[in-house]
Amino acid sequence: MPEAEIVCRDRASAYAEAVRTACPDAIQVADRFHFWKNLCEARREVHCCAPQLPRRGYRGRAC
């Protein structure tokens, strides 16, 4: 019986573990919704933690 080569799943660790058990060689990828959710969360985290950039029209030095 052939095994799945690529498995699209959500972020639940239970699904990840089930895929690792059933198809240990399969590549696991996030579905489209969770891909964008992860991307937006990462952007929010970087934006919150990054130093503030000068506002538009700022006449001083940028660095």
Side-chain angles (χ1 to χ4, degrees):
M1 181 163 102
E3 286 191 17
E5 293 179 20
I6 301 172
V7 177
C8 181
R9 65 172 185 83
D10 69 8
R11 303 185 319 170
S13 58
Y15 290 125
E17 184 59 36
V19 171
R20 277 193 295 275
T21 301
C23 304
D25 296 329
I27 297 169
Q28 298 186 39
V29 297
D31 59 51
R32 188 183 317 184
F33 171 81
H34 289 92
F35 171 80
W36 282 107
K37 185 171 171 41
N38 292 347
L39 184 63
C40 290
E41 286 177 4
R43 183 195 166 277
R44 229 178 280 123
E45 185 175 316
V46 168
H47 179 73
C48 289
C49 300
Q52 292 294 336
L53 297 175
R55 294 183 186 186
R56 182 178 236 168
Y58 178 73
R59 302 260 183 228
R61 293 179 57 178
C63 297

